[in-house]
Amino acid sequence: MLITRRVRPGHGPAFEAAMDRMIQTARSFPGHLGGRVVRPGEDADDGFGLFHVIFAFDTDAHLRGWQQSEARAQGLEAVAPHIEGRQQVREVDGLGLWYAEPRDPQGPPGPAHAPPPRWKVAVVTWLGIFPTVLALFLTVGPLMADWPLVPRVLVITLLVVLIMTWLVAPRLTRWLKHWLHAAPHDA
């Protein structure tokens, strides 16, 4: 789940503290996979004061358990004085979080853009993973030739995830943004 909120000027530290407490609380819920606050400036396309919060759960049922909990309601009460306007919520599954187009913070309030169709996510993911894995097998692979299979796979897959998350996926989504989010008749 990706939540976007505009934080009142001067309330950034208080908002982040409240969100950190909420993320800590969510960790005790079944199926919690992680949470993170993305501050303005970490994404060059964000408007000033626009924060994103990510909550990840392993199943829809576990996510709903968190969403309907008293602990979350209390966390939202703690966050409320620090935000302005409506929050935007997107439920994104799988790799779709990489490809979810953020709502224009200067645009009218309303629902955020939907993630692209899964087949487009699959194509762009493959376009990133194929050359990344090939490059790693050509560069790092020979250095690990004598390693047992499991440690080699562990290192290669760890490197693929890191490279995809911070280097390849952000660039591919920026370069292919218009195709990823094109209307069905435009694609």
Side-chain angles (χ1 to χ4, degrees):
M1 179 168 58
L2 177 65
I3 303 112
T4 302
R5 293 183 176 106
R6 184 168 302 282
V7 174
R8 294 179 188 278
H11 286 246
F15 170 80
E16 289 187 61
M19 284 310 311
D20 286 343
R21 287 190 298 274
M22 236 174 129
I23 290 169
Q24 285 285 60
T25 301
R27 287 184 179 157
S28 66
F29 278 72
H32 182 263
L33 298 174
R36 179 167 186 239
V37 175
V38 180
R39 295 157 190 83
E42 289 185 35
D43 180 347
D45 295 331
D46 276 350
F48 184 75
L50 195 63
F51 283 72
H52 303 287
V53 181
I54 301 165
F55 283 97
F57 285 84
D58 61 353
T59 66
D60 286 342
H62 285 145
L63 173 61
R64 299 290 172 254
W66 163 248
Q67 289 177 314
Q68 296 167 359
S69 72
E70 181 61 29
R72 179 176 175 266
Q74 290 172 355
L76 290 174
E77 285 180 28
V79 167
H82 309 296
I83 60 174
E84 54 189 27
R86 296 181 352 182
Q87 71 178 8
Q88 303 296 317
V89 178
R90 285 175 272 190
E91 290 190 25
V92 183
D93 61 351
L95 297 176
L97 189 56
W98 278 345
Y99 304 102
E101 183 181 14
R103 185 183 70 81
D104 178 3
Q106 306 304 319
H113 297 282
R118 285 183 185 221
W119 70 270
K120 287 186 178 184
V121 171
V123 168
V124 175
T125 301
W126 180 82
L127 286 172
I129 287 178
F130 174 74
T132 302
V133 170
L134 180 62
L136 288 172
F137 271 102
L138 293 174
T139 59
V140 179
L143 301 174
M144 300 185 302
D146 296 333
W147 291 21
L149 178 64
V150 172
R152 279 187 291 161
V153 171
L154 182 124
V155 169
I156 292 290
T157 56
L158 175 65
L159 290 172
V160 167
V161 169
L162 294 174
I163 291 167
M164 281 294 295
T165 300
W166 279 280
L167 296 174
V168 176
R171 284 172 178 77
L172 281 175
T173 56
R174 191 169 38 252
W175 295 335
L176 299 172
K177 176 181 179 178
H178 296 292
W179 178 73
L180 276 167
H181 298 284
H185 62 278
D186 296 339

